[in-house]
Amino acid sequence: MSDTAFSRLPLPPALLTTLQQLDYLQMTPIQAQAIPHALAGKDLIAQAKTGSGKTAAFGISLLLRLKPPMFRVQALVLCPTRELSTQVANELRRLARFQPNLKIITLCGGQPIGPQIGSLEHGAHVVVGTPGRIADHLRKGTLQLDAVSTLVLDEADRMLDMGFIEAIEGIIEAIPGQRQTLLFSATYPDEIRTLSTRFQRQPVEVSVESVHSHSQIQQWRFPVDNRNKNPLLVKLLGHYRPASCVVFCNTKQQCEEVCSYLTQSGYSAAPLHGDMEQKARDQALVLFANGSCSILVATDVAARGLDISNLAAVVNFDLPHSAETYVHRIGRTGRAGREGLALSLYGDREGHRVKAIEEYFGQPLPLGELQELQEEEAPLVAEMVTLCIAGGRKDKVRPGDILGALTGEAGIDSSEVGKINILDRVAFVAIRRNSANRALGRLINGKIKGRRFKVRIVQ
C-alpha cells in the first residue's frame, strides 16, 4: 500500500468508499502534508499553488468535525470570488456524499441576497462565500457564526490583494476563539504571516513547491511597442496555436478591446471582467469550459477560481503588478503533470516587472525570438458549439433528459455530445461543430421530457 494512499488515513469506511468512487486514491503532496495535521485539530498554514488539491486537503477534516444533528453553521470557508466559492462548495458536496443530510450553501456577491436569506432561515452546516457578502449577512443579522468550529481562508493572499482584510477581521470577530483555522495561500507575503499571528494558534506550516518549474511550464517574454501588442498577440496565437488560452489584461477596458480585436481576427474569444452581468460571466465560463470558446480575455479578479483542467496556454497581455500574481496566472496551465505554455508581452516601461518576476524565480525569464515566429495560419476554430435550452433545474430538466433527446429522438451519436450544464432556468449543451445544426433542428422540432423548449445556438 502506498504511503500516500487515502486508505492509510484514519477515516471512516463510508468516507473511504466515497473517496474511491470519486477516484481519490492517492493524495497529492499538499493533501499528504496537510490532512493528518488537520485531522489532529491543529491550525494550519498551507502554501500550495492553484490546482494542487487544496479543497480536499481542508474539506475532509472539515466534514468530519461536523455534527449533522445540530442544524447550525459549523464551518465557514472564505474565498476571494464567487467562481471559486462555487467550485469549492461543489467539491465539498461531492466529498460529503458519505454523510447524509448535510447542507452546504454559498453566499456570494453578484447574486440577490433575498434567496440567500431564505436558505439561511432553513439552516445550514457549511457556508462557503466571499468576505463581502458574508459581512453583509452578519450586518443584517441573517447569519450566525457562534457555532463555527472550523474556519478556512482559501487563497488568502488573493483576498488580501483584493482589499478584504477589514471584512475578514470583522467576520473572524463573530466566530468563537475556540476553533480550528486553516489558511491556504499560493504565496506567503508578510501580510499572510501577520494575519496568521493574529488569528491562529501555534499553526503548523506545510508547503509544496509553489514556484512553477521551467520544465513544467514553458515561459517566454516578448518585448513589444504598445501600439503593436494586438498584432503580436495574434501572431503568437497563430504560431503556438493553443487549443485553449486565457489572455490576462490589467483593466476591464483592455479586456473588451483585446477581445474585440481577436474576434475580428477570426478567433472565438469572450471577455470576463467585473463589469459584466453575472449571467454573461456564467455563460462565458460555460462556453470556455465546454470547448465552444477557445480564448478567455480576463482580469485577475474575474478569472479567480477558474476550474479548467487542461488549459493549454496563458498569455500576459499586460504584465501583472506583482510577481505573486504572475505565479497565480501561469499556474492555471501545466497542471496534473501536463506541459503548459506562458507567454508575456511587455513594453519599455515594464522592465521592472520582468526583473521582479526573475528575482522571484531566481533565474532569467527566457526571451522569445520574434523572427522565429512562423507566419500565422488561419485561427483555430473551437471544436464545439453550444446550444442554449430555455429550461433548467427549476423546470426539472436533467442532463440525462437532454442527452436522451439528442441521442434517442435526434439520432445524434453520444460521442458528438460534450458537457451539459444545467442552471436554474436554462441549460447549455456542447455539440461537436459538424453536428450542431442537426442537433439544433432536432431539438427545435422535438421534445425534452415530453415538452417543447426554445433552443438557440450561443454565439
Side-chain angles (χ1 to χ4, degrees), residues 6 9 11 15 19 22 24 26-28 30-32 34-36 38-39 52-63 87-88 91-92 94-95 154 182 184:
F6 277 98
L9 296 172
L11 303 177
L15 175 53
L19 291 171
L22 296 174
Y24 277 37
Q26 301 293 324
M27 289 180 279
T28 65
I30 194 61
Q31 290 166 355
I35 292 176
L39 289 173
S52 57
K54 291 180 296 175
T55 303
F58 62 74
I60 287 174
S61 63
L62 177 154
L63 293 169
Q87 178 184 328
V88 168
E91 183 63 13
L92 288 177
R94 278 161 38 94
L95 291 169
D154 192 14
L182 308 175
F184 284 75

PDB file of all heavy atoms in Angstrom, residues 6 9 11 15 19 22 24 26-28 30-32 34-36 38-39 52-63 87-88 91-92 94-95 154 182 184:
ATOM      1  N   PHE A   6      -5.073   7.267   0.399  1.00  0.00           N
ATOM      2  CA  PHE A   6      -6.073   7.783   1.346  1.00  0.00           C
ATOM      3  C   PHE A   6      -6.437   6.716   2.383  1.00  0.00           C
ATOM      4  O   PHE A   6      -6.795   7.048   3.517  1.00  0.00           O
ATOM      5  CB  PHE A   6      -7.326   8.241   0.591  1.00  0.00           C
ATOM      6  CG  PHE A   6      -7.223   9.626   0.028  1.00  0.00           C
ATOM      7  CD1 PHE A   6      -6.881   9.822  -1.302  1.00  0.00           C
ATOM      8  CD2 PHE A   6      -7.453  10.738   0.816  1.00  0.00           C
ATOM      9  CE1 PHE A   6      -6.776  11.093  -1.828  1.00  0.00           C
ATOM     10  CE2 PHE A   6      -7.352  12.019   0.301  1.00  0.00           C
ATOM     11  CZ  PHE A   6      -7.010  12.201  -1.029  1.00  0.00           C
ATOM     12  N   LEU A   9      -5.084   6.825   5.946  1.00  0.00           N
ATOM     13  CA  LEU A   9      -5.575   7.809   6.916  1.00  0.00           C
ATOM     14  C   LEU A   9      -6.650   7.188   7.808  1.00  0.00           C
ATOM     15  O   LEU A   9      -7.385   6.300   7.372  1.00  0.00           O
ATOM     16  CB  LEU A   9      -6.158   9.029   6.186  1.00  0.00           C
ATOM     17  CG  LEU A   9      -5.185   9.868   5.345  1.00  0.00           C
ATOM     18  CD1 LEU A   9      -5.962  10.903   4.544  1.00  0.00           C
ATOM     19  CD2 LEU A   9      -4.147  10.538   6.222  1.00  0.00           C
ATOM     20  N   LEU A  11      -9.734   7.303   8.491  1.00  0.00           N
ATOM     21  CA  LEU A  11     -11.005   7.846   8.007  1.00  0.00           C
ATOM     22  C   LEU A  11     -12.101   6.797   8.129  1.00  0.00           C
ATOM     23  O   LEU A  11     -11.841   5.594   8.027  1.00  0.00           O
ATOM     24  CB  LEU A  11     -10.877   8.276   6.541  1.00  0.00           C
ATOM     25  CG  LEU A  11      -9.794   9.309   6.219  1.00  0.00           C
ATOM     26  CD1 LEU A  11      -9.740   9.566   4.716  1.00  0.00           C
ATOM     27  CD2 LEU A  11     -10.033  10.609   6.980  1.00  0.00           C
ATOM     28  N   LEU A  15     -16.489   7.235   4.254  1.00  0.00           N
ATOM     29  CA  LEU A  15     -15.754   8.295   3.566  1.00  0.00           C
ATOM     30  C   LEU A  15     -14.724   7.695   2.613  1.00  0.00           C
ATOM     31  O   LEU A  15     -14.553   8.184   1.487  1.00  0.00           O
ATOM     32  CB  LEU A  15     -15.070   9.214   4.578  1.00  0.00           C
ATOM     33  CG  LEU A  15     -14.159  10.313   3.998  1.00  0.00           C
ATOM     34  CD1 LEU A  15     -14.885  11.146   2.953  1.00  0.00           C
ATOM     35  CD2 LEU A  15     -13.621  11.203   5.115  1.00  0.00           C
ATOM     36  N   LEU A  19     -14.418   8.418  -1.354  1.00  0.00           N
ATOM     37  CA  LEU A  19     -13.176   8.844  -1.999  1.00  0.00           C
ATOM     38  C   LEU A  19     -12.818   7.920  -3.155  1.00  0.00           C
ATOM     39  O   LEU A  19     -12.389   8.368  -4.227  1.00  0.00           O
ATOM     40  CB  LEU A  19     -12.037   8.879  -0.977  1.00  0.00           C
ATOM     41  CG  LEU A  19     -12.126   9.982   0.089  1.00  0.00           C
ATOM     42  CD1 LEU A  19     -11.070   9.769   1.160  1.00  0.00           C
ATOM     43  CD2 LEU A  19     -11.959  11.356  -0.545  1.00  0.00           C
ATOM     44  N   LEU A  22     -14.946   8.623  -6.104  1.00  0.00           N
ATOM     45  CA  LEU A  22     -14.536   9.870  -6.755  1.00  0.00           C
ATOM     46  C   LEU A  22     -13.168   9.739  -7.410  1.00  0.00           C
ATOM     47  O   LEU A  22     -12.640  10.722  -7.940  1.00  0.00           O
ATOM     48  CB  LEU A  22     -14.511  11.012  -5.740  1.00  0.00           C
ATOM     49  CG  LEU A  22     -15.851  11.407  -5.108  1.00  0.00           C
ATOM     50  CD1 LEU A  22     -15.643  12.453  -4.024  1.00  0.00           C
ATOM     51  CD2 LEU A  22     -16.810  11.932  -6.175  1.00  0.00           C
ATOM     52  N   TYR A  24     -10.431   9.255  -5.859  1.00  0.00           N
ATOM     53  CA  TYR A  24      -9.412   9.819  -4.980  1.00  0.00           C
ATOM     54  C   TYR A  24      -8.681   8.641  -4.325  1.00  0.00           C
ATOM     55  O   TYR A  24      -9.093   8.165  -3.272  1.00  0.00           O
ATOM     56  CB  TYR A  24     -10.058  10.685  -3.897  1.00  0.00           C
ATOM     57  CG  TYR A  24     -10.380  12.097  -4.311  1.00  0.00           C
ATOM     58  CD1 TYR A  24     -10.841  12.385  -5.585  1.00  0.00           C
ATOM     59  CD2 TYR A  24     -10.243  13.149  -3.410  1.00  0.00           C
ATOM     60  CE1 TYR A  24     -11.157  13.668  -5.956  1.00  0.00           C
ATOM     61  CE2 TYR A  24     -10.550  14.444  -3.779  1.00  0.00           C
ATOM     62  CZ  TYR A  24     -11.004  14.705  -5.049  1.00  0.00           C
ATOM     63  OH  TYR A  24     -11.311  15.983  -5.421  1.00  0.00           O
ATOM     64  N   GLN A  26      -4.815   8.298  -4.421  1.00  0.00           N
ATOM     65  CA  GLN A  26      -3.541   8.771  -3.879  1.00  0.00           C
ATOM     66  C   GLN A  26      -3.633  10.251  -3.546  1.00  0.00           C
ATOM     67  O   GLN A  26      -4.183  11.040  -4.312  1.00  0.00           O
ATOM     68  CB  GLN A  26      -2.412   8.548  -4.900  1.00  0.00           C
ATOM     69  CG  GLN A  26      -2.217   7.106  -5.323  1.00  0.00           C
ATOM     70  CD  GLN A  26      -1.715   6.243  -4.181  1.00  0.00           C
ATOM     71  OE1 GLN A  26      -0.930   6.682  -3.356  1.00  0.00           O
ATOM     72  NE2 GLN A  26      -2.177   4.988  -4.127  1.00  0.00           N
ATOM     73  N   MET A  27      -3.082  10.624  -2.403  1.00  0.00           N
ATOM     74  CA  MET A  27      -3.089  12.026  -2.001  1.00  0.00           C
ATOM     75  C   MET A  27      -2.077  12.827  -2.818  1.00  0.00           C
ATOM     76  O   MET A  27      -0.996  12.333  -3.150  1.00  0.00           O
ATOM     77  CB  MET A  27      -2.749  12.144  -0.511  1.00  0.00           C
ATOM     78  CG  MET A  27      -3.828  11.659   0.426  1.00  0.00           C
ATOM     79  SD  MET A  27      -3.358  11.825   2.176  1.00  0.00           S
ATOM     80  CE  MET A  27      -2.341  10.357   2.379  1.00  0.00           C
ATOM     81  N   THR A  28      -2.433  14.061  -3.140  1.00  0.00           N
ATOM     82  CA  THR A  28      -1.470  14.981  -3.736  1.00  0.00           C
ATOM     83  C   THR A  28      -0.487  15.394  -2.640  1.00  0.00           C
ATOM     84  O   THR A  28      -0.745  15.189  -1.442  1.00  0.00           O
ATOM     85  CB  THR A  28      -2.172  16.228  -4.298  1.00  0.00           C
ATOM     86  OG1 THR A  28      -2.748  16.962  -3.207  1.00  0.00           O
ATOM     87  CG2 THR A  28      -3.263  15.849  -5.295  1.00  0.00           C
ATOM     88  N   ILE A  30       0.199  18.260  -1.235  1.00  0.00           N
ATOM     89  CA  ILE A  30      -0.346  19.135  -0.194  1.00  0.00           C
ATOM     90  C   ILE A  30      -1.349  18.385   0.674  1.00  0.00           C
ATOM     91  O   ILE A  30      -1.447  18.616   1.879  1.00  0.00           O
ATOM     92  CB  ILE A  30      -0.976  20.418  -0.810  1.00  0.00           C
ATOM     93  CG1 ILE A  30      -1.232  21.464   0.285  1.00  0.00           C
ATOM     94  CG2 ILE A  30      -2.273  20.103  -1.545  1.00  0.00           C
ATOM     95  CD1 ILE A  30       0.015  21.921   1.000  1.00  0.00           C
ATOM     96  N   GLN A  31      -2.087  17.451   0.085  1.00  0.00           N
ATOM     97  CA  GLN A  31      -3.023  16.651   0.879  1.00  0.00           C
ATOM     98  C   GLN A  31      -2.271  15.753   1.858  1.00  0.00           C
ATOM     99  O   GLN A  31      -2.655  15.642   3.031  1.00  0.00           O
ATOM    100  CB  GLN A  31      -3.904  15.806  -0.051  1.00  0.00           C
ATOM    101  CG  GLN A  31      -4.904  16.623  -0.852  1.00  0.00           C
ATOM    102  CD  GLN A  31      -5.524  15.840  -1.994  1.00  0.00           C
ATOM    103  OE1 GLN A  31      -5.145  14.699  -2.272  1.00  0.00           O
ATOM    104  NE2 GLN A  31      -6.478  16.455  -2.691  1.00  0.00           N
ATOM    105  N   ALA A  32      -1.190  15.131   1.400  1.00  0.00           N
ATOM    106  CA  ALA A  32      -0.419  14.240   2.264  1.00  0.00           C
ATOM    107  C   ALA A  32       0.184  14.988   3.446  1.00  0.00           C
ATOM    108  O   ALA A  32       0.292  14.451   4.557  1.00  0.00           O
ATOM    109  CB  ALA A  32       0.682  13.559   1.455  1.00  0.00           C
ATOM    110  N   ALA A  34      -1.001  18.106   4.637  1.00  0.00           N
ATOM    111  CA  ALA A  34      -1.966  18.893   5.406  1.00  0.00           C
ATOM    112  C   ALA A  34      -2.997  18.055   6.155  1.00  0.00           C
ATOM    113  O   ALA A  34      -3.342  18.361   7.303  1.00  0.00           O
ATOM    114  CB  ALA A  34      -2.678  19.883   4.480  1.00  0.00           C
ATOM    115  N   ILE A  35      -3.521  17.000   5.534  1.00  0.00           N
ATOM    116  CA  ILE A  35      -4.664  16.286   6.107  1.00  0.00           C
ATOM    117  C   ILE A  35      -4.379  15.697   7.495  1.00  0.00           C
ATOM    118  O   ILE A  35      -5.201  15.852   8.406  1.00  0.00           O
ATOM    119  CB  ILE A  35      -5.184  15.213   5.128  1.00  0.00           C
ATOM    120  CG1 ILE A  35      -5.801  15.892   3.898  1.00  0.00           C
ATOM    121  CG2 ILE A  35      -6.234  14.325   5.799  1.00  0.00           C
ATOM    122  CD1 ILE A  35      -6.251  14.922   2.813  1.00  0.00           C
ATOM    123  N   PRO A  36      -3.231  15.036   7.715  1.00  0.00           N
ATOM    124  CA  PRO A  36      -3.000  14.494   9.064  1.00  0.00           C
ATOM    125  C   PRO A  36      -3.026  15.561  10.160  1.00  0.00           C
ATOM    126  O   PRO A  36      -3.585  15.339  11.235  1.00  0.00           O
ATOM    127  CB  PRO A  36      -1.612  13.842   8.945  1.00  0.00           C
ATOM    128  CG  PRO A  36      -1.495  13.490   7.494  1.00  0.00           C
ATOM    129  CD  PRO A  36      -2.179  14.605   6.772  1.00  0.00           C
ATOM    130  N   ALA A  38      -4.598  18.482   9.976  1.00  0.00           N
ATOM    131  CA  ALA A  38      -5.972  18.979  10.073  1.00  0.00           C
ATOM    132  C   ALA A  38      -6.845  18.010  10.849  1.00  0.00           C
ATOM    133  O   ALA A  38      -7.665  18.414  11.683  1.00  0.00           O
ATOM    134  CB  ALA A  38      -6.541  19.207   8.665  1.00  0.00           C
ATOM    135  N   LEU A  39      -6.672  16.699  10.614  1.00  0.00           N
ATOM    136  CA  LEU A  39      -7.449  15.689  11.341  1.00  0.00           C
ATOM    137  C   LEU A  39      -7.120  15.728  12.838  1.00  0.00           C
ATOM    138  O   LEU A  39      -7.973  15.415  13.677  1.00  0.00           O
ATOM    139  CB  LEU A  39      -7.158  14.293  10.786  1.00  0.00           C
ATOM    140  CG  LEU A  39      -7.717  13.977   9.391  1.00  0.00           C
ATOM    141  CD1 LEU A  39      -7.210  12.621   8.909  1.00  0.00           C
ATOM    142  CD2 LEU A  39      -9.248  14.002   9.402  1.00  0.00           C
ATOM    143  N   SER A  52      -3.730  22.184  -6.801  1.00  0.00           N
ATOM    144  CA  SER A  52      -2.931  21.167  -6.109  1.00  0.00           C
ATOM    145  C   SER A  52      -3.768  20.244  -5.225  1.00  0.00           C
ATOM    146  O   SER A  52      -3.222  19.407  -4.522  1.00  0.00           O
ATOM    147  CB  SER A  52      -1.861  21.851  -5.253  1.00  0.00           C
ATOM    148  OG  SER A  52      -2.458  22.759  -4.330  1.00  0.00           O
ATOM    149  N   GLY A  53      -5.087  20.404  -5.261  1.00  0.00           N
ATOM    150  CA  GLY A  53      -5.944  19.557  -4.440  1.00  0.00           C
ATOM    151  C   GLY A  53      -6.244  20.142  -3.073  1.00  0.00           C
ATOM    152  O   GLY A  53      -6.472  19.423  -2.096  1.00  0.00           O
ATOM    153  N   LYS A  54      -6.295  21.472  -3.001  1.00  0.00           N
ATOM    154  CA  LYS A  54      -6.472  22.142  -1.703  1.00  0.00           C
ATOM    155  C   LYS A  54      -7.831  21.852  -1.073  1.00  0.00           C
ATOM    156  O   LYS A  54      -7.926  21.715   0.144  1.00  0.00           O
ATOM    157  CB  LYS A  54      -6.305  23.656  -1.868  1.00  0.00           C
ATOM    158  CG  LYS A  54      -4.911  24.101  -2.197  1.00  0.00           C
ATOM    159  CD  LYS A  54      -4.851  25.617  -2.328  1.00  0.00           C
ATOM    160  CE  LYS A  54      -5.706  26.090  -3.493  1.00  0.00           C
ATOM    161  NZ  LYS A  54      -5.794  27.551  -3.613  1.00  0.00           N
ATOM    162  N   THR A  55      -8.883  21.792  -1.888  1.00  0.00           N
ATOM    163  CA  THR A  55     -10.225  21.649  -1.312  1.00  0.00           C
ATOM    164  C   THR A  55     -10.351  20.369  -0.494  1.00  0.00           C
ATOM    165  O   THR A  55     -10.863  20.375   0.627  1.00  0.00           O
ATOM    166  CB  THR A  55     -11.300  21.686  -2.408  1.00  0.00           C
ATOM    167  OG1 THR A  55     -11.163  22.909  -3.146  1.00  0.00           O
ATOM    168  CG2 THR A  55     -12.690  21.643  -1.792  1.00  0.00           C
ATOM    169  N   ALA A  56      -9.870  19.265  -1.031  1.00  0.00           N
ATOM    170  CA  ALA A  56      -9.904  18.015  -0.258  1.00  0.00           C
ATOM    171  C   ALA A  56      -8.961  18.092   0.934  1.00  0.00           C
ATOM    172  O   ALA A  56      -9.220  17.484   1.981  1.00  0.00           O
ATOM    173  CB  ALA A  56      -9.538  16.834  -1.154  1.00  0.00           C
ATOM    174  N   ALA A  57      -7.869  18.850   0.792  1.00  0.00           N
ATOM    175  CA  ALA A  57      -6.900  18.968   1.882  1.00  0.00           C
ATOM    176  C   ALA A  57      -7.535  19.554   3.137  1.00  0.00           C
ATOM    177  O   ALA A  57      -7.220  19.151   4.261  1.00  0.00           O
ATOM    178  CB  ALA A  57      -5.699  19.814   1.446  1.00  0.00           C
ATOM    179  N   PHE A  58      -8.456  20.516   2.963  1.00  0.00           N
ATOM    180  CA  PHE A  58      -9.140  21.036   4.152  1.00  0.00           C
ATOM    181  C   PHE A  58     -10.554  20.466   4.298  1.00  0.00           C
ATOM    182  O   PHE A  58     -11.111  20.425   5.391  1.00  0.00           O
ATOM    183  CB  PHE A  58      -9.192  22.572   4.150  1.00  0.00           C
ATOM    184  CG  PHE A  58      -9.952  23.216   3.012  1.00  0.00           C
ATOM    185  CD1 PHE A  58     -11.343  23.193   2.962  1.00  0.00           C
ATOM    186  CD2 PHE A  58      -9.286  23.904   2.015  1.00  0.00           C
ATOM    187  CE1 PHE A  58     -12.044  23.800   1.937  1.00  0.00           C
ATOM    188  CE2 PHE A  58      -9.969  24.524   0.967  1.00  0.00           C
ATOM    189  CZ  PHE A  58     -11.353  24.462   0.936  1.00  0.00           C
ATOM    190  N   GLY A  59     -11.124  19.993   3.187  1.00  0.00           N
ATOM    191  CA  GLY A  59     -12.521  19.559   3.215  1.00  0.00           C
ATOM    192  C   GLY A  59     -12.763  18.291   4.009  1.00  0.00           C
ATOM    193  O   GLY A  59     -13.793  18.153   4.677  1.00  0.00           O
ATOM    194  N   ILE A  60     -11.833  17.351   3.948  1.00  0.00           N
ATOM    195  CA  ILE A  60     -12.034  16.073   4.633  1.00  0.00           C
ATOM    196  C   ILE A  60     -12.143  16.266   6.138  1.00  0.00           C
ATOM    197  O   ILE A  60     -13.082  15.777   6.782  1.00  0.00           O
ATOM    198  CB  ILE A  60     -10.891  15.101   4.262  1.00  0.00           C
ATOM    199  CG1 ILE A  60     -11.087  14.619   2.822  1.00  0.00           C
ATOM    200  CG2 ILE A  60     -10.830  13.922   5.229  1.00  0.00           C
ATOM    201  CD1 ILE A  60      -9.953  13.773   2.282  1.00  0.00           C
ATOM    202  N   SER A  61     -11.200  17.001   6.724  1.00  0.00           N
ATOM    203  CA  SER A  61     -11.264  17.219   8.179  1.00  0.00           C
ATOM    204  C   SER A  61     -12.443  18.103   8.555  1.00  0.00           C
ATOM    205  O   SER A  61     -13.096  17.896   9.579  1.00  0.00           O
ATOM    206  CB  SER A  61      -9.963  17.837   8.685  1.00  0.00           C
ATOM    207  OG  SER A  61      -9.753  19.119   8.117  1.00  0.00           O
ATOM    208  N   LEU A  62     -12.747  19.079   7.698  1.00  0.00           N
ATOM    209  CA  LEU A  62     -13.881  19.981   7.956  1.00  0.00           C
ATOM    210  C   LEU A  62     -15.182  19.187   8.070  1.00  0.00           C
ATOM    211  O   LEU A  62     -15.970  19.381   9.004  1.00  0.00           O
ATOM    212  CB  LEU A  62     -13.958  21.009   6.826  1.00  0.00           C
ATOM    213  CG  LEU A  62     -15.082  22.042   6.796  1.00  0.00           C
ATOM    214  CD1 LEU A  62     -14.622  23.274   6.025  1.00  0.00           C
ATOM    215  CD2 LEU A  62     -16.349  21.494   6.127  1.00  0.00           C
ATOM    216  N   LEU A  63     -15.401  18.266   7.127  1.00  0.00           N
ATOM    217  CA  LEU A  63     -16.645  17.489   7.124  1.00  0.00           C
ATOM    218  C   LEU A  63     -16.727  16.538   8.315  1.00  0.00           C
ATOM    219  O   LEU A  63     -17.799  16.329   8.884  1.00  0.00           O
ATOM    220  CB  LEU A  63     -16.757  16.705   5.810  1.00  0.00           C
ATOM    221  CG  LEU A  63     -16.941  17.555   4.544  1.00  0.00           C
ATOM    222  CD1 LEU A  63     -16.770  16.707   3.295  1.00  0.00           C
ATOM    223  CD2 LEU A  63     -18.313  18.236   4.539  1.00  0.00           C
ATOM    224  N   GLN A  87     -16.986  26.577  -6.951  1.00  0.00           N
ATOM    225  CA  GLN A  87     -16.142  25.401  -7.190  1.00  0.00           C
ATOM    226  C   GLN A  87     -15.882  24.648  -5.883  1.00  0.00           C
ATOM    227  O   GLN A  87     -15.990  23.412  -5.829  1.00  0.00           O
ATOM    228  CB  GLN A  87     -14.825  25.871  -7.800  1.00  0.00           C
ATOM    229  CG  GLN A  87     -13.811  24.775  -8.071  1.00  0.00           C
ATOM    230  CD  GLN A  87     -12.508  25.370  -8.580  1.00  0.00           C
ATOM    231  OE1 GLN A  87     -12.492  26.389  -9.258  1.00  0.00           O
ATOM    232  NE2 GLN A  87     -11.400  24.734  -8.234  1.00  0.00           N
ATOM    233  N   VAL A  88     -15.541  25.374  -4.821  1.00  0.00           N
ATOM    234  CA  VAL A  88     -15.245  24.747  -3.522  1.00  0.00           C
ATOM    235  C   VAL A  88     -16.497  24.076  -2.948  1.00  0.00           C
ATOM    236  O   VAL A  88     -16.453  22.941  -2.469  1.00  0.00           O
ATOM    237  CB  VAL A  88     -14.688  25.794  -2.529  1.00  0.00           C
ATOM    238  CG1 VAL A  88     -14.657  25.230  -1.104  1.00  0.00           C
ATOM    239  CG2 VAL A  88     -13.291  26.226  -2.941  1.00  0.00           C
ATOM    240  N   GLU A  91     -17.262  20.836  -4.718  1.00  0.00           N
ATOM    241  CA  GLU A  91     -16.340  19.759  -4.350  1.00  0.00           C
ATOM    242  C   GLU A  91     -16.651  19.235  -2.945  1.00  0.00           C
ATOM    243  O   GLU A  91     -16.593  18.031  -2.686  1.00  0.00           O
ATOM    244  CB  GLU A  91     -14.894  20.257  -4.434  1.00  0.00           C
ATOM    245  CG  GLU A  91     -13.845  19.204  -4.138  1.00  0.00           C
ATOM    246  CD  GLU A  91     -13.842  18.050  -5.139  1.00  0.00           C
ATOM    247  OE1 GLU A  91     -14.478  18.175  -6.210  1.00  0.00           O
ATOM    248  OE2 GLU A  91     -13.207  17.021  -4.833  1.00  0.00           O
ATOM    249  N   LEU A  92     -16.994  20.146  -2.024  1.00  0.00           N
ATOM    250  CA  LEU A  92     -17.359  19.714  -0.676  1.00  0.00           C
ATOM    251  C   LEU A  92     -18.616  18.842  -0.707  1.00  0.00           C
ATOM    252  O   LEU A  92     -18.716  17.861   0.034  1.00  0.00           O
ATOM    253  CB  LEU A  92     -17.587  20.929   0.233  1.00  0.00           C
ATOM    254  CG  LEU A  92     -16.338  21.709   0.647  1.00  0.00           C
ATOM    255  CD1 LEU A  92     -16.726  22.926   1.487  1.00  0.00           C
ATOM    256  CD2 LEU A  92     -15.365  20.825   1.436  1.00  0.00           C
ATOM    257  N   ARG A  94     -19.507  16.876  -3.123  1.00  0.00           N
ATOM    258  CA  ARG A  94     -19.081  15.568  -3.626  1.00  0.00           C
ATOM    259  C   ARG A  94     -18.440  14.750  -2.505  1.00  0.00           C
ATOM    260  O   ARG A  94     -18.738  13.572  -2.342  1.00  0.00           O
ATOM    261  CB  ARG A  94     -18.086  15.758  -4.781  1.00  0.00           C
ATOM    262  CG  ARG A  94     -18.737  16.039  -6.126  1.00  0.00           C
ATOM    263  CD  ARG A  94     -17.785  16.667  -7.139  1.00  0.00           C
ATOM    264  NE  ARG A  94     -16.432  16.174  -7.129  1.00  0.00           N
ATOM    265  CZ  ARG A  94     -15.948  15.193  -7.909  1.00  0.00           C
ATOM    266  NH1 ARG A  94     -16.767  14.570  -8.741  1.00  0.00           N
ATOM    267  NH2 ARG A  94     -14.680  14.851  -7.864  1.00  0.00           N
ATOM    268  N   LEU A  95     -17.570  15.393  -1.744  1.00  0.00           N
ATOM    269  CA  LEU A  95     -16.899  14.688  -0.648  1.00  0.00           C
ATOM    270  C   LEU A  95     -17.877  14.304   0.459  1.00  0.00           C
ATOM    271  O   LEU A  95     -17.665  13.329   1.176  1.00  0.00           O
ATOM    272  CB  LEU A  95     -15.793  15.575  -0.061  1.00  0.00           C
ATOM    273  CG  LEU A  95     -14.577  15.839  -0.957  1.00  0.00           C
ATOM    274  CD1 LEU A  95     -13.711  16.935  -0.358  1.00  0.00           C
ATOM    275  CD2 LEU A  95     -13.766  14.569  -1.145  1.00  0.00           C
ATOM    276  N   ASP A 154      -9.322  30.376   2.087  1.00  0.00           N
ATOM    277  CA  ASP A 154      -8.792  29.781   0.860  1.00  0.00           C
ATOM    278  C   ASP A 154      -8.288  30.887  -0.057  1.00  0.00           C
ATOM    279  O   ASP A 154      -8.983  31.873  -0.297  1.00  0.00           O
ATOM    280  CB  ASP A 154      -9.884  28.955   0.164  1.00  0.00           C
ATOM    281  CG  ASP A 154      -9.319  28.085  -0.943  1.00  0.00           C
ATOM    282  OD1 ASP A 154      -8.084  27.918  -0.993  1.00  0.00           O
ATOM    283  OD2 ASP A 154     -10.100  27.559  -1.752  1.00  0.00           O
ATOM    284  N   LEU A 182      -7.726  27.119   9.243  1.00  0.00           N
ATOM    285  CA  LEU A 182      -6.883  26.568   8.188  1.00  0.00           C
ATOM    286  C   LEU A 182      -6.687  27.640   7.120  1.00  0.00           C
ATOM    287  O   LEU A 182      -7.662  28.132   6.539  1.00  0.00           O
ATOM    288  CB  LEU A 182      -7.532  25.321   7.572  1.00  0.00           C
ATOM    289  CG  LEU A 182      -7.958  24.235   8.574  1.00  0.00           C
ATOM    290  CD1 LEU A 182      -8.690  23.111   7.853  1.00  0.00           C
ATOM    291  CD2 LEU A 182      -6.749  23.691   9.322  1.00  0.00           C
ATOM    292  N   PHE A 184      -4.947  28.744   3.581  1.00  0.00           N
ATOM    293  CA  PHE A 184      -4.322  28.250   2.355  1.00  0.00           C
ATOM    294  C   PHE A 184      -3.961  29.434   1.463  1.00  0.00           C
ATOM    295  O   PHE A 184      -4.768  30.340   1.269  1.00  0.00           O
ATOM    296  CB  PHE A 184      -5.262  27.304   1.598  1.00  0.00           C
ATOM    297  CG  PHE A 184      -5.340  25.934   2.218  1.00  0.00           C
ATOM    298  CD1 PHE A 184      -6.061  25.735   3.391  1.00  0.00           C
ATOM    299  CD2 PHE A 184      -4.679  24.859   1.655  1.00  0.00           C
ATOM    300  CE1 PHE A 184      -6.120  24.483   3.982  1.00  0.00           C
ATOM    301  CE2 PHE A 184      -4.738  23.601   2.238  1.00  0.00           C
ATOM    302  CZ  PHE A 184      -5.456  23.410   3.401  1.00  0.00           C
TER     303      PHE A 184
END
